[in-house]
Amino acid sequence: MGTQSAFVALNIEPDDDSDDEIDDTKEIQIEEALKLYQIALKLHSQGPEYYPQAAQAYLALFTSEIFKYPESLSEPKRLELYGESSDAEDYEHEDVARHPTVPTVTADGTPSTLPQILYLSYKNHGQFMLDYLKDQLNHADLGNGEKADGVHLPKQVIIDTVAATSRLFSEALERDDTDLELWRRTSRLCGLLGSRRIARFCLEAVLDVEGEGIDDVMEFSGLEEAFASQELKELLVALYDQISQSQPPISLLERQSLSFSIKKHMDLYPFLPSLQLSALDSDLLLPNSQAVPLARRVLDSPARTWTAVGKVILQQLLAEKQGIANPGPSVAIILRLPGDQATNEGYVPRDRGGGAVEPQLRDQLRACSTNLQATLDGGCAGNGVAPVGGKAGNGVDEAVSCGNEPLMLDAAFRATKPVVDGERSSNGAIINDEGGSLDDEPSNASELIPQSAEGDCGGQMKTSPGPNTITLPTRKRSSDSAGHHEPADGGRIRSKRIRARESVADAGVVDETTGIGLTKHISDQLEAITRADHWMFEVVGGLLSKLGVQSLGSLEELRNLVKEAEGEDVSSTPDPREVRRSRRTVIQDLRHILSSWTDEKGNVVLHSEDIEDPSSNIGGARNSGLTIFLEHSKRGGQKVTTRPPLSTDDGLAVFRDTINDSRLYTNEAAFQWIKNLLLPVVPGSGPTRTEVPSANRQSQGSTYTEFLWPDALKETVVQILVGQDGYIFKAIEEETFSLEDRILRGPEMGHTYQYSFDDHSLTEMVQTVFELHLDIYASITNPSSEVDIGTRTLQKDRLARWAGLASDLLNMRSTEEEGSLAQDVLTFRYLWAATFFSNMSDGVSREHVLLCLNDLKKLLEATGSPVVELQNNAVMPEVSVAATEREISRLTTMDLFLSIFSTENSNPVAVIESLEPILDPITNLENGKQAAQQVKDGCPGTCRDTVQSENKRPPSSSTSESVSCSQSTQKTEMARFLERGSASLRLFLWRRLRDAYEVIGYPPKVFSCCLRCIEIIMKDVKTAPYLNSAREHRQSTLLKWIRCLDDLIVKALTLALNEPSSFDCIDNEHLQGSMCAIAELSGLLHSFTMYEDSIRVGEIRPSVSSAHPSMVVFANKLREMQVRTWTLQYTLLKDGISQNQDIFITATDDLADYLRVVHYGLGIRSYCKLSNKVFLRFMKMELLRLTPAGTWESDLAQVMFDLHGLRFSPNLADLQDHGCPTEPLDRRTAIQIMSFVMTQVNRINIKDLPKTEFKSIVEKMQQVIGAPTQTNALMLNRRIFNAFIKSPVNPIDLYRCLRGVGDLSAVPVVAESAVVADKGWYFLLGHIALTRFRSQKRVTLGPTDDLDFASYFFRQDLEYGMDKWETWYRLATVYDAKIEEDVLWSAEKLNSQKTELTDLQRSAIHCYTMAVTTAIRCADTSFDNASKISDLYTDFGLRIYASSREPFSMEAFNLDDFEKHFSAQTQGMYKKRPFRDLELFPAWKFASVLFRKAMVEKPRRWTNHYMLAKCLWKLYSCEDLDYRNDIPADFREIIDACVQAIQALPERKDNKQEPILEPHYKLVSIVYKLVERKKLQPLEGSDILQATPYARKIPPSEEIDTWESYILQVLKALRTADKANWHHRMVARAAHVIYDDSASDFTAAMGAKHELTQQIFTKTMTLQVWKPEHERAGRHFVYTGRYVSFLVHLLLQLNDRASLEALTKRVRRRSGDFVGYAKVWQEVCLAHLKLLRRLGQIPEGHEDTIFKSVSNEDFQTHAGRLESWCHLPDTYSPIIDILRDVIELKKLNNGLMKSTLIDDLIADTYAMLYGTVVPELNAKASGKESRERMRVDHLLMNMDDPADIPPPSATMTPDPAAVKHRAKGVGRRELQRKAEAAILKPSAASEISKPPSTVEASHPDQSSREMLFVKEELAREDAQGLGSSVPASVHDSADDESELSEIDEEPVPVVEPVKPMFPNLVNSAACAGSAMKTDERINGDSPPSALQDAEKDDQRAAGGV
């Protein structure tokens, strides 16, 4: 033992702890164990004389500390003890890390590591045990001094030794599986033990070296593989496995066989029996017995039972009868039983092992076996290891001798691998496979029936029922199979078969180190289930107890009953409470059914008939009615006697000796066999039996009366009695004659003959044979028998003979008793049998039979009412007073039953009238009171009162009353009989009654009949006949009842759920009885649930047959029955609560509690899905109907999750997965749960709804609900709504809505969809869609589908009812959202689609009007509604105010499009507006009223105060004279509203949050305007502005001179607060403050421009205006136009040509940023033109001044020269730049504004350029023209042909008439073309070429040149960027400035024109075309396309010339 660490106190902290200290306890223990191993190995190697010391050394080794380590256990055992992630493994890993083991190799090569020591210890110890066994076999003697050849040692010792050795070898292989020889050794031992499967596995493991399977082995690398293959081949031959023999490597042995010299060394243990002859079945270990030849015919019985012997004799009789066997003359038989030797001289008892051993040796073997198993399977001290030291169990000092060295063997056995405590039974006996004990013999025959395995030892060795069968581990466990990985560098690779095998994890693996740990583990697993069950039983039991139902009990009672039922049969266990005993018995029967399932039980469950129809077998035969009645109306149950079953071999040996000692023939042996069973036992001999009273003596009865025969035995007795009836009757008749002769001769001899015991035995035997024949005859004459008439006649004759013989013998007995029958059991039996025989005989009246029964009843009552049990007879199993009364009742009520069973009676009314008085207990009680006493007095069928007064009454009255009384008495007697009769018969009658009510269609009585049937069945299992019957009969009956109950519960539950009138006929008493029965059934079914729970947690191991298909069906049926039973119980409870409302004060909550606890109990086991989820569906309907207080919503949420997978609970942890498969939601369910969904949704903020599970729930519900069906009412309401929403806004309606006056007349809608609308479903869908749109972060124009959906659902909701104020309100917000979306991102719709926006405004105003009207009239006064109404007023006011201001400008209230036709007598038909428009002042006033109303509920909302201030300011500033009396006189209210708005602003959470500046700016703006208007002094204004924190740090202004600077500082503070530069109005206000008072001052203009260009405009004139968060949508587009106009005015004043040009380009490209863009653009263009004219000093109309008197020819000439001059590189003129800017502006305008002014400026500018430059050019060109003219004249003078003289030059003096015709002068188009040509720079080639002459104008290519010119112009225009520009968004950031600048600064691509052949001609044509275009634009302002067409026409005309 290693040293222990010293104790260290926890509360003392040592001064210094050395980290170098290492706990070397483990190393020391390993070293000590290594020493012990070396000692044991040394003693083992020294020979047999040292074996005792070696055994002690091995014992000391295996009790050392190293075998207690967790890592020393095998991995399977470690998993069982500690689990996969156990502390043991952690300890092992931690310990290995902290304590490294000793070096792996020592100097002497001994093992040093722990795994090596364990491996060698197990292996060498196993080898030692075999060596010791070999030595014992060699030294065993026979007791006479002679040596035996090793075969005389008791076989049990050899088996125990081999089994223990195999276990040790398996432990060694667990540590090292590379030892091939050890695999072969293990295979050899397992083969000896009879496990060929394990032997084969071990041999295959030897061959499977590489782990790839033995199929890949093609050669053997060593002798071990060769030996293993040879042994495997022999094993396969023995197993007849031909397939494996034909495959390699076994097939290789045909070519590669081992030599004989090698084969003789193949057997590793030659001293053990051969593997080919199983040691378990052979007698090799026993002496050979000498066989004696038989002299007679031998009959070998297959078993030592009376049944087997009788069958052998019967078979011989049949063989002799059929001639198959020829007995021969004088050949007797000899009977040989199993275990007898081959002799007829007797037999020697054989032990279970088959060897002939002395009793002393037998005891030694048993003790040795017990000692071995007690040692191997002994308890472990805490850690699973056998206790060391002391006497644990069968210690060394207490060992029983087994051979020569008992001490040594016992020590060797006890040193084997320790096991856990769980492998032993509770009494310490060794448990076999069947759960029995080897130490105890079977107590009775029933215990000999093999049972299914109930336990498993986790792979450990288990002992089978016989000592010769030992089950070894069936698989080789490795580290991977246990859940761990093997090291990569050590050990063999597992075989492919092992790796392919699935790892089956035992679900019951728990901590089994102690019983407490096991119990705690199981209780922990069952904690939740137990808590659920306790809750369920407590709540349900409490509710039922209020109605007087106590049969459910508590969970503790049920658990105690289940525990008691787990033991032996408790049906006969006395219990002071009979109810407890019955419940315990039924539970035990159900448990036994489940644990021992068979196919027969499955057939009963699946195919048996629960209630058979007796009338189906009548077949119209009236005479057989009594037989049918007697057959199907027997007693309630098969009462089984307390007699024990007949022992299998009790007295059989004596019978065998009698047969063998006497030379008897077969028929004689059969007669002797019958006599042994039927004759009473001789007193004083044989086994002790129950004494039966007799006349004046006592005797012991026969096996017929004292024991219960097996069915096979009775069948054999009947066959022999029938087959040998002649011989038996003749033999007994001779004995009867002899007895009669002796009796008759008695008087002659002078004395009375005294009966001897043999005489009494003869009489009893005859009576027994008579009863058996009576039973046979009754069985073959029942209605279901198919025996032919001949056989029936023969049996009737036999019965008559035996009846006569029995009568004679009974009469002979009377002579002994002085002429009277003895009143003993035999007499009672005879009288009963004679009565039945008379009843079966023809011609015997019923009255005679009744008289006989009455006499027998009196006789029995006179003798003390004895009870004679004859359980081996089906016809008369009991003779008693009760049985007699039952028979009398049967005969009395036979007629009534025959009428019921008659198939002719199919009238349901008649059936009801005949059955209901009998079956209904209340009617039965009322009718039975009068005749109860008469029936008791023994006069059934008569009425004494009627008989006594019969002569006193008139004949007719007497007859009718007698019949009535007789019928009443008969029915009463029948009801009494049914109470004592069979439950099957009562069930059949109730079913007949139920069927009759079903025919007439009366569900209440059908439901009542079903409940009555359930009561009958549950009452039947509590009756004594059931409890006292045999277990097999009880189980069969219970299975039938369960099947019947299942059908009844289904029928009853269907009616209860679907028929509201089902409970009309259920009174309180009936209800109480039914609830009791169902509660008992629930307890029984719950015991099955507890059984399944125990299996699930591993407390009970499932039976082998648990996977049987029929067993699975039955288990599922029980689960479904449980679900239906709890549901049916709820329906009964609900009806009981309705009948007892005074008891249940909180009935709704009680019902909800019932549903809650049952749902929890079923759901935790995943039972909710059973029975088509009937409980879930019903619970859903009930919860929706009840709506109780408490947590019912969570219950409904769980139900919906189970049914449809809908997660209603926001906390997912509240929902449990009950394993229910979800099903799709249907429309009906969706409508049912709609109210619940609406309740849940209303509790959630609508903004958070899309983030919850309700989003998907609502979508699924809407999918199944679908669109409503269109009806006429819906369509009419839709037309009314559309007409209202499109109507004009009437100011009167606006004012009336504030008083709640106004309504729309709608038609009521009656449809299923109206229910959906009433619950607010459509409103919810619309609200969700609206919220979804609002919650989206929108940064650009996007789709508005959500708004369309919202509008659709809101409108749909209003179509079902117009009085829903919130729907109107939300629909108005939808229209507002649409307006905002349309005007937020662009002003396009404000400019082009204003009509659509106007319609949306009207729709919104109408909806707001109806919302206010209905809210005032219909809304409740809840806080939530009050808040919503306040928001309604605010939004309505914002809508009115926004519609009155730009950009909407009161267009929503304009009635121009709504004029109607009127007629008047004076005027006739005329058109007029229907009412006055709403003007600005009333609109602002109405809005102010709305804001005031909104402030009532939300006074701290700054928006209300802010908007009120704006409305009041507008009213104050209004200049409309019509409302001058209504204008507020005091502005203080305005200022107060602004101050309150500032005070109501929400506090900023942090500095990152943008401040709300609107109220501050509004206050500054109003105060500034008031000061400017002289309404306030600067000091007063400064004081007012102290309300805003942005003005508090600025010194106040006291004088008007400092006021402007003060305001600018305040505005600057506001701008500083606006860090994101969203607010633009402060900048504009500052600019106006600077400029307005000094509009003509250049400095003021520069200051204003500077302010605007700091934020609103950039240096490149990019507009930067965005919508602030709280500004109205579209309003910033109004300000953009104002800012541009202001800046244009400033630039014009400052003559800033560059900025104005840049601004012009920016404005042109951003058409979507301005409201009234055309007006803004026109203003910009006009300012630009004005500035250019001013800078160029170009007078207006200068065109006429210059070109008024210039001819076209001169103009063309001069224009060409001017164009050439303009194109010169060194030409510069500011007029040219102005001309160029004007032309660019025209192109930029692109027809947006009328170009007249632009054209005027172009013409004036060109005229000015012409008038300035052309005179100079003409002076230079005049000299050149003179020289050219002289040259032409000279040429003409030299020409001879006058025709060649050219025409006059165009430059000649014009004709006066022609000049007068062209008085118009130069055209505007010509001027524009020339102007454009002048500024257009030509290409290099054009500049080099000279102007061509006019003669060249008619060149053929002139048209193509003109087209080329047009293309050049178009390309140039594209290069200049004159195409359609795309407007940019006003929300573009300041980065757009750089982008636009880059675009402007990019070089314009110039299209190089092709050099024309006649450039002047082309230019002339182009100029002409340009002039035409100019004229057309001036006259008609044609679009660009028309201008292009005109240019093309001009070009074609020029080409034609």
Side-chain angles (χ1 to χ4, degrees), residues 1786-1988:
K1786 182 179 180 180
K1787 294 178 180 179
L1788 193 64
N1789 179 61
N1790 197 19
L1792 180 60
M1793 183 188 74
K1794 289 185 177 182
S1795 59
T1796 304
L1797 297 177
I1798 301 176
D1799 293 341
D1800 290 344
L1801 183 57
I1802 293 174
D1804 292 342
T1805 305
Y1806 186 78
M1808 189 171 185
L1809 180 65
Y1810 185 90
T1812 305
V1813 177
V1814 168
E1816 297 179 1
L1817 295 178
N1818 289 336
K1820 294 180 181 180
S1822 60
K1824 187 177 181 180
E1825 283 187 12
S1826 299
R1827 289 192 294 268
E1828 288 293 333
R1829 186 178 301 110
M1830 293 174 63
R1831 182 182 303 174
V1832 172
D1833 293 341
H1834 179 69
L1835 291 174
L1836 292 175
M1837 290 173 62
N1838 296 328
M1839 296 179 63
D1840 295 334
D1841 189 0
D1844 295 335
I1845 298 176
S1849 174
T1851 59
M1852 297 177 66
T1853 302
D1855 187 9
V1859 173
K1860 186 178 180 180
H1861 178 72
R1862 297 186 57 86
K1864 186 178 179 181
V1866 181
R1868 177 65 65 88
R1869 282 189 183 179
E1870 192 70 19
L1871 287 176
Q1872 289 181 354
R1873 289 184 181 181
K1874 290 299 180 179
E1876 291 176 0
I1879 66 171
L1880 189 64
K1881 294 181 180 181
S1883 62
S1886 300
E1887 293 177 357
I1888 297 174
S1889 61
K1890 294 181 179 180
S1893 61
T1894 57
V1895 183
E1896 298 173 348
S1898 60
H1899 194 275
D1901 294 335
Q1902 184 178 3
S1903 176
S1904 62
R1905 301 303 181 190
E1906 293 175 356
M1907 293 301 297
L1908 178 60
F1909 174 79
V1910 174
K1911 291 182 179 180
E1912 291 174 358
E1913 290 293 321
L1914 293 177
R1916 188 176 297 107
E1917 290 180 1
D1918 293 338
Q1920 295 291 337
L1922 299 181
S1924 60
S1925 61
V1926 179
S1929 173
V1930 296
H1931 292 282
D1932 294 342
S1933 63
D1935 296 338
D1936 294 341
E1937 174 186 349
S1938 60
E1939 294 176 2
L1940 294 174
S1941 301
E1942 292 174 0
I1943 295 175
D1944 294 339
E1945 294 172 1
E1946 288 180 0
V1948 179
V1950 179
V1951 179
E1952 296 294 337
V1954 181
K1955 181 179 179 181
M1957 182 174 298
F1958 304 100
N1960 291 337
L1961 182 60
V1962 173
N1963 292 338
S1964 298
C1967 291
S1970 177
M1972 292 178 65
K1973 287 196 298 180
T1974 303
D1975 295 340
E1976 291 179 0
R1977 290 188 182 181
I1978 293 174
N1979 298 329
D1981 195 16
S1982 302
S1985 59
L1987 295 178
Q1988 294 175 3

Side-chain angles (χ1 to χ4, degrees), residues 403-562:
N404 296 335
E405 299 291 342
L407 179 63
M408 184 277 304
L409 262 182
D410 185 71
F413 290 156
R414 288 192 295 110
T416 56
K417 172 182 173 294
V419 294
V420 295
D421 295 339
E423 294 178 346
R424 299 188 60 82
S425 62
S426 59
N427 58 1
I430 302 172
I431 301 174
N432 56 23
D433 288 342
E434 283 75 18
S437 174
L438 292 176
D439 296 343
D440 301 327
E441 294 290 341
S443 59
N444 50 48
S446 63
E447 297 183 8
L448 297 177
I449 301 174
Q451 305 296 334
S452 59
E454 296 179 0
D456 189 11
C457 297
Q460 301 299 328
M461 185 183 71
K462 299 181 295 181
T463 349
S464 64
N468 297 340
T469 304
I470 299 176
T471 305
L472 292 175
T474 59
R475 58 178 296 186
K476 177 177 68 174
R477 297 300 299 268
S478 63
S479 59
D480 283 356
S481 63
H484 307 282
H485 296 288
E486 295 178 350
D489 55 349
R492 294 176 56 202
I493 301 175
R494 296 181 302 157
S495 65
K496 182 169 63 176
R497 188 174 66 173
I498 296 177
R499 285 186 276 109
R501 185 183 297 121
E502 295 182 354
S503 176
V504 181
D506 189 0
V509 176
V510 296
D511 184 6
E512 297 178 351
T513 56
T514 60
I516 299 177
L518 175 63
T519 305
K520 184 177 183 302
H521 181 83
I522 293 176
S523 63
D524 291 343
Q525 289 184 304
L526 293 176
E527 181 180 0
I529 297 176
T530 304
R531 184 168 60 251
D533 292 346
H534 179 77
W535 189 23
M536 179 172 62
F537 274 76
E538 182 181 3
V539 173
V540 177
L543 295 176
L544 297 182
S545 62
K546 293 183 179 181
L547 296 176
V549 179
Q550 305 290 342
S551 56
L552 182 62
S554 63
L555 180 64
E556 290 72 15
E557 295 177 1
L558 182 60
R559 293 176 69 90
N560 293 333
L561 290 175
V562 171

